[in-house]
């Protein structure tokens, strides 16, 4: 599962491929369909001869050492994606694969030398995956590409309100993350038994991750994992070297392969070109086809049709000569229509998921009433003879290591008190009574998000954050710094509800791999602690290395920063500053997003062919160039599946992860070189008529 720039989960993972090929390797294919033998249906019988380590023994030093290294790697990847387009694919496959590979290699070496004291278990693998995802997740929920960077003067100068800003500083960012990132963990801990055991919520991503880890620790799965890691490493190297090669030719702006007019100069002017980005080719291979097609359709609709038509009304709809980045001109249409699409899609899915949540909760409680057993935290569930061997084993161990409810409540109250006292010193616009109101309603919203995620695999963290922007921003008002108050409140709310659903996903993974809830909770705490330091440090490298960070013409435009800031401005000031007819177009696209979603749900299974409004909104502001990269990734995957579907299912996630990791981690040396003042030696211009007349003539322009 992945996140788009607004924080909502939009991309399904493809973990089933590992099981599919594993079954092929075991020769279980019969008449073209794969069927498990009866005795192999039980997963836990495969591992019944292995002793499950205690929760303390699941938390090993080597696990956290590997987690720390991988957290740095993935934080750079997530940060680059955050600051470019905001589309963040699932990195669970990469985290699971690399964690397995590193520790397995180390334990094999110790085993041969006779120094191995503790074997590598699937529970330890689960701890690593949990810690890495929790840590790198802060790079997203920290708002470095959205609400937090939207507070800066750089973004304020691009908005309609330039008076209220707070520039990034490493000290206050780390302090802010430490006081808001742990509350979500404590808010849902008492509900772990109700969600996992009593309500038996699916949590598709947590379940898929568990199946992946379980398969790694079988002989066939370990063999396949070794091949996958080899494939990941191969494409990681290729992607890294390609990024290094491209760097040599980018001495100034608008030069190098990333500025190559592959579709012609006129198309390039409207941001239609292939920029040779390995990272977004990889993202396209992971994202479902409909996501990539939706993004491309959004780019065609906006940059191919709407913006050229609106530009013909320059002088009528808006003043002439305002430039490309002025919100009172063409930029205003780009930003606010994208916001309308995001809000329409977000509101629809919010109502949909909340409805599913309340309806599902009602049925769960009614069913429990008929059984005369209401779900209560920390109360043992009666064993049922109808439970399978796997369920009995998993339930027994999941309930063995309890986390006391008093501990969770005390932790939440203590952190909330510290946060309430601290946050007004970081943001004087965010009054203490705003924070108390947020913390009073946050546990309920965290429960709703965690429950809804268990039903639908859809986290609405950003939607709750947007609600905080509008409610707190409007409450504070323009004279009391409502813009910064709204953005800060968004950060508080997003962190709480996002970490709550993530923790419950991890509990589901732990339940299915026999990892202790205590080890999952501690791993999440340690991973979050790592993320609160690593993510701001990574962002600071980007912030110092690239002075044009956040500008629409930059390599790192941070598109959601300007979008979130303008949401806050709308909440405080209203719609008075919008260009002519912009509000009408916003209403039309808001309604269109709702209607498209209704139509998509009405069609049922056929609805998977209907584009997603939220994905369509992404290129409205920054252009469709990355959509072309993603569609190239989709094309590669499509052809591969037609040639050899089994291999494509098994190795496409590894290839995609390699492309993403290689290009993403190249930003570390590139940033260091930029900080040191080292510039690329060559500028390979494709677009200058004065310096490249031959190329210009060849392209027929």
């Amino acid at each position: 599962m992945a996140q788009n720039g607004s924080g909502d989960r939009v991309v399904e993972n493809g973990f089933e491929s590992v099981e599919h090929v594993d079954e092929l390797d075991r020769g279980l294919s019969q008449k073209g369909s794969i069927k498990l033998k009866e005795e192999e249906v039980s997963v836990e019988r495969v591992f019944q001869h292995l002793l499950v380590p205690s929760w303390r023994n699941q938390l090993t030093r080597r696990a956290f050492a590997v987690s720390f290294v991988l957290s740095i790697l993935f934080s750079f990847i997530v940060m680059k994606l955050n600051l470019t387009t905001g589309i963040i694919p699932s990195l669970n496959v990469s985290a699971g694969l690399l964690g397995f590979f590193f520790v397995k290699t180390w334990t094999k070496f110790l085993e041969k030398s006779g120094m191995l004291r503790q074997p590598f278990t699937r529970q330890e693998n689960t701890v690593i995956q949990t810690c890495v995802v929790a840590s790198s997740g802060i790079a997203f929920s920290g708002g470095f590409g959205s609400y937090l960077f939207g507070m800066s003067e750089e973004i304020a100068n691009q908005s309609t309100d330039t008076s209220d800003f707070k520039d990034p500083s490493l000290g206050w960012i780390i302090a802010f993350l430490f006081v808001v990132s742990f509350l979500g963990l404590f808010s849902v801990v008492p509900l772990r038994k109700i969600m996992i055991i009593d309500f038996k919520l699916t949590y598709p991503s947590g379940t898929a991750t568990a199946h992946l880890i379980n398969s790694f620790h079988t002989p066939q799965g370990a063999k396949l994992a070794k091949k996958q890691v080899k494939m990941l490493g191969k494409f990681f190297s290729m992607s890294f070297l390609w990024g290094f090669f491209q760097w040599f030719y980018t001495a100034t702006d608008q030069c190098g392969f990333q500025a190559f007019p592959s579709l012609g100069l006129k198309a390039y002017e409207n941001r239609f070109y292939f920029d040779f980005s390995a990272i977004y080719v990889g993202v396209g291979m992971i994202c479902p086809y409909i996501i990539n097609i939706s993004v491309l359709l959004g780019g065609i609709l906006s940059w191919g049709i709407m913006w050229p038509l609106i530009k013909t009304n320059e002088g009528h709809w808006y003043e002439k000569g305002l430039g490309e980045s002025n919100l009172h001109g063409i930029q205003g249409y780009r930003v606010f229509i994208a916001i309308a699409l995001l809000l329409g899609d977000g509101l629809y899915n919010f109502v949909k998921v909340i409805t599913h949540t309340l309806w599902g909760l009602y049925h769960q409680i009614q069913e429990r009433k008929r059984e005369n057993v209401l779900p209560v935290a920390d109360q043992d569930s009666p064993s049922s003879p109808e439970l399978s061997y796997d369920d009995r084993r998993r339930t027994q161990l999941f309930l063995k290591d309890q986390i006391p409810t008093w501990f969770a409540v005390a932790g939440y109250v203590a952190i909330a008190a510290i946060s309430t006292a601290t946050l007004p010193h970081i943001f004087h616009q965010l009054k203490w009574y705003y924070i108390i109101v947020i913390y009073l309603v946050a546990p309920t919203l965290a429960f709703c998000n965690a429950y809804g995620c268990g039903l639908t695999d859809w986290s609405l963290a950003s939607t709750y954050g947007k609600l905080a922007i509008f409610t707190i921003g409007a409450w504070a008002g323009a004279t009391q710094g409502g813009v910064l108050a709204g953005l800060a409140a968004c950060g508080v709310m997003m962190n709480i509800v996002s970490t709550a659903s993530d923790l419950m996903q991890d509990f589901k993974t732990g339940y299915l791999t026999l990892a202790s809830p205590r080890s999952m909770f501690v791993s999440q705490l340690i991973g979050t602690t790592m993320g609160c330091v690593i993510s701001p440090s990574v962002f600071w490298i980007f912030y110092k290395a690239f002075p044009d960070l956040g500008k629409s013409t930059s390599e790192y435009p941070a598109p959601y920063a300007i979008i979130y800031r303008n949401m806050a401005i709308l909440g405080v000031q209203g719609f008075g500053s919008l260009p002519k007819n912009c509000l009408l177009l916003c209403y039309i696209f808001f309604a269109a997003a709702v209607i498209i979603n209704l139509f998509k749900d009405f069609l049922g299974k056929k609805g998977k062919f209907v584009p997603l409004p939220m994905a369509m909104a992404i290129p409205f502001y920054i252009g469709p160039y990355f959509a072309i990269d993603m569609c190239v990734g989709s094309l590669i995957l499509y052809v591969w599946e037609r040639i050899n579907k089994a291999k494509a299912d098994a190795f496409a996630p590894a290839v995609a992860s390699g492309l993403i990791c290689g290009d993403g981690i190249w930003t570390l040396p590139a940033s260091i070189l930029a900080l040191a003042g080292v510039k690329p030696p060559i500028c390979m211009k494709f677009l200058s008529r004065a310096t490249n007349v031959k190329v210009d003539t060849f392209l027929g322009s």
Side-chain angles (χ1 to χ4, degrees):
M1 184 171 66
Q3 291 176 315
N4 69 0
S6 63
D8 295 323
R9 310 299 176 91
V10 295
V11 182
E12 297 292 337
N13 51 53
F15 293 133
E16 293 85 0
S17 58
V18 177
E19 294 176 319
H20 177 63
V21 176
D22 185 29
E23 290 160 2
L24 283 178
D25 288 343
R26 284 182 281 168
L28 300 180
S29 178
Q30 297 178 0
K31 296 183 180 180
S33 63
I34 301 170
K35 297 181 180 179
L36 291 172
K37 296 179 181 177
E38 190 65 33
E39 62 270 20
E40 292 176 329
V41 170
S42 173
V43 174
E44 294 309 324
R45 290 192 187 278
V46 176
F47 298 100
Q48 63 182 344
H49 64 287
L50 298 175
L51 181 66
V52 178
S54 67
W55 72 271
R56 287 187 176 88
N57 289 333
Q58 294 172 23
L59 303 169
T60 63
R61 292 180 181 178
R62 68 191 179 199
F64 292 116
V66 169
S67 298
F68 181 75
V69 174
L70 291 179
S71 293
I72 296 174
L73 168 66
F74 289 136
S75 292
F76 268 96
I77 296 167
V78 173
M79 196 66 67
K80 179 171 182 177
L81 294 169
N82 247 336
L83 297 174
T84 49
T85 65
I87 298 178
I88 303 170
S90 172
L91 295 174
N92 293 30
V93 174
S94 305
L97 272 173
L98 291 175
F100 174 82
F101 175 73
F102 285 153
V103 179
K104 195 69 174 177
T105 302
W106 175 243
T107 54
K108 227 172 199 180
F109 172 78
L110 291 179
E111 189 176 13
K112 288 183 179 179
S113 59
M115 299 171 62
L116 181 64
R117 295 182 179 179
Q118 183 176 345
F120 182 42
T121 63
R122 55 187 174 137
Q123 290 80 24
E124 188 179 356
N125 203 160
T126 304
V127 165
I128 294 172
Q129 190 269 340
T130 298
C131 189
V132 172
V133 172
S135 178
S136 59
I138 299 295
F140 175 80
S141 62
F144 301 102
S146 56
Y147 65 84
L148 191 143
F149 190 43
M151 301 177 185
S152 67
E153 185 177 12
E154 176 64 50
I155 301 300
N157 289 334
Q158 300 176 44
S159 70
T160 57
D161 180 0
T162 60
S163 61
D164 204 11
F165 62 85
K166 185 179 181 65
D167 278 326
S169 171
L170 197 57
W172 74 256
I173 292 176
I174 292 176
F176 171 74
L177 291 177
F178 264 108
V179 296
V180 301
S181 297
F182 296 90
L183 280 154
L185 304 181
F186 288 92
S187 66
V188 294
V189 163
L191 304 174
R192 65 199 178 280
K193 171 184 167 292
I194 296 172
M195 300 283 211
I196 306 299
I197 303 296
D198 296 317
F199 289 166
K200 296 180 175 59
L201 297 179
T202 307
Y203 289 101
S205 288
T207 300
T209 304
H211 289 329
L212 178 77
I213 292 173
N214 282 336
S215 72
F216 283 167
H217 292 267
T218 63
Q220 295 84 3
K223 183 179 178 182
L224 177 60
K226 186 176 180 181
K227 293 178 181 178
Q228 288 174 318
V229 170
K230 187 176 180 180
M231 186 73 77
L232 188 152
K234 179 180 177 180
F235 281 87
F236 175 93
S237 303
M238 291 170 58
S239 179
F240 183 88
L241 292 174
W242 175 241
F244 176 60
F245 174 75
Q246 287 189 92
W247 175 81
F248 271 93
Y249 300 95
T250 55
T252 61
D253 292 336
Q254 301 300 311
C255 67
F257 289 95
Q258 65 186 22
F260 182 75
S262 50
L263 301 176
L265 292 176
K266 189 65 177 176
Y268 182 86
E269 291 175 5
N270 288 290
R271 305 191 186 182
F272 283 92
Y273 58 92
F274 178 65
D275 70 346
F276 297 91
S277 172
I279 197 167
Y280 278 104
V281 173
V283 169
M285 293 181 69
I286 290 180
C287 291
Y289 295 130
I290 192 61
I291 295 288
N292 302 330
I293 293 171
S294 298
V295 174
L296 184 60
L297 285 175
I300 293 171
L301 176 63
S302 55
W303 289 85
I305 300 172
M306 289 179 59
W307 307 156
L309 287 175
I310 291 175
K311 281 183 178 181
T312 62
N313 289 295
E314 186 178 8
H316 299 287
W317 286 18
Y318 59 93
E319 294 180 23
K320 286 186 177 182
L322 291 177
E324 288 285 316
S325 59
N326 193 308
L327 281 175
H328 294 287
I330 187 66
Q331 191 77 329
Y333 297 94
R334 294 171 183 164
V335 171
F336 290 107
I337 293 175
I339 290 174
L341 268 176
L342 290 172
L343 291 179
D345 190 278
L347 179 63
Y348 177 86
N349 284 294
F350 174 75
V351 173
K352 175 184 171 182
V353 173
I354 287 294
T355 303
H356 273 287
T357 298
L358 296 177
W359 186 250
L361 186 60
Y362 171 78
H363 277 281
Q364 293 276 10
I365 293 175
Q366 290 300 314
E367 184 178 340
R368 286 284 164 177
K369 280 184 177 179
R370 287 194 294 270
E371 297 173 1
N372 294 319
V373 180
L374 284 175
V376 179
D378 294 336
Q379 174 183 291
D380 291 342
S381 295
S383 57
S384 170
E386 297 178 358
L387 291 177
S388 66
Y389 173 81
D390 284 4
D391 288 336
R392 289 198 304 273
R393 178 106 168 117
R394 289 164 177 167
T395 301
Q396 177 189 9
L397 290 172
F398 189 78
L399 297 176
K400 178 182 176 183
D401 295 322
Q402 296 285 352
I403 303 172
T405 299
W406 67 262
F407 172 78
V409 174
Y412 186 87
V413 172
I415 297 174
I418 295 170
S419 181
T420 304
T422 305
L423 284 175
H425 293 285
I426 301 175
F427 306 104
H428 68 269
Q429 300 88 347
L430 193 64
K431 307 301 181 183
W432 61 270
Y433 43 87
Y434 301 159
I435 303 168
I436 289 178
V437 170
I438 291 173
Y439 289 159
L440 287 175
V441 301
T444 302
L445 299 181
F447 165 76
C448 291
N449 196 46
Y451 188 92
C453 192
L455 289 175
T456 65
D457 209 29
W458 192 275
S459 173
L460 295 176
S462 76
T463 304
Y464 291 110
K466 290 165 192 168
L467 288 175
I469 287 179
F470 289 114
T471 54
I472 301 299
W475 187 1
T479 58
Q480 299 296 321
V483 173
L484 279 190
L487 290 171
C490 172
V492 175
M493 186 62 75
M494 270 187 66
N495 276 279
I496 293 174
V497 299
S498 178
T499 53
S501 63
D502 289 346
L503 177 63
M504 207 55 68
Q505 291 270 14
D506 291 332
F507 278 146
K508 183 68 174 185
T509 303
Y511 170 77
L512 294 172
T513 59
L514 302 190
S516 168
R518 288 188 183 180
S519 67
M520 291 289 92
F521 185 68
V522 172
S523 178
Q524 191 90 15
L525 286 175
I526 293 175
T528 302
T529 304
M530 288 182 185
C532 289
V533 177
I534 293 173
S535 293
S537 302
V538 171
F539 172 74
W540 199 246
I541 292 174
F542 278 87
Y543 186 68
K544 289 297 182 181
F546 304 101
D548 62 346
L549 185 73
K551 294 181 179 177
S552 59
T553 56
S554 169
E555 182 182 355
Y556 299 102
Y560 281 98
I562 186 68
I563 287 175
Y564 270 66
R565 183 175 184 86
N566 280 288
M567 284 184 189
I569 293 171
L570 284 177
V572 174
Q573 298 180 357
F575 302 98
S577 60
L578 297 182
K580 185 179 180 181
N581 294 321
C582 184
L583 183 58
L584 175 61
L585 290 171
C586 288
Y587 286 147
I588 291 171
F589 277 87
F590 181 93
V594 174
I595 292 169
I596 290 172
N597 275 300
L598 281 169
F599 188 62
K600 186 179 183 67
D601 288 339
F602 176 76
L603 289 176
K605 290 184 178 180
K606 292 181 180 179
K608 65 181 180 180
F609 299 108
V610 177
L612 300 170
M614 189 169 289
M616 293 176 67
I618 297 170
F620 270 55
Y621 173 66
I622 57 174
Y625 60 91
F626 69 96
I628 295 173
D629 298 348
M630 292 171 65
C631 286
V632 168
S634 282
L635 180 62
I636 292 171
L637 180 62
Y638 178 81
V639 172
W640 194 358
E641 286 179 337
R642 289 297 173 269
I643 295 173
N644 191 327
K645 182 167 174 50
K647 282 192 174 181
D649 288 344
F651 296 111
V655 171
S657 299
L659 291 173
I660 293 168
C661 292
D663 196 1
I665 204 61
W666 162 248
T667 57
L668 173 58
S671 301
I672 293 172
L673 290 171
L675 285 170
V678 179
K679 293 184 177 180
I682 305 169
C683 177
M684 186 165 61
K685 282 278 187 181
F686 292 105
L687 304 178
S688 172
R689 296 178 185 273
T691 59
N692 210 339
V693 177
K694 290 183 179 179
V695 173
D696 188 58
T697 304
F698 175 75
L699 291 173
S701 301

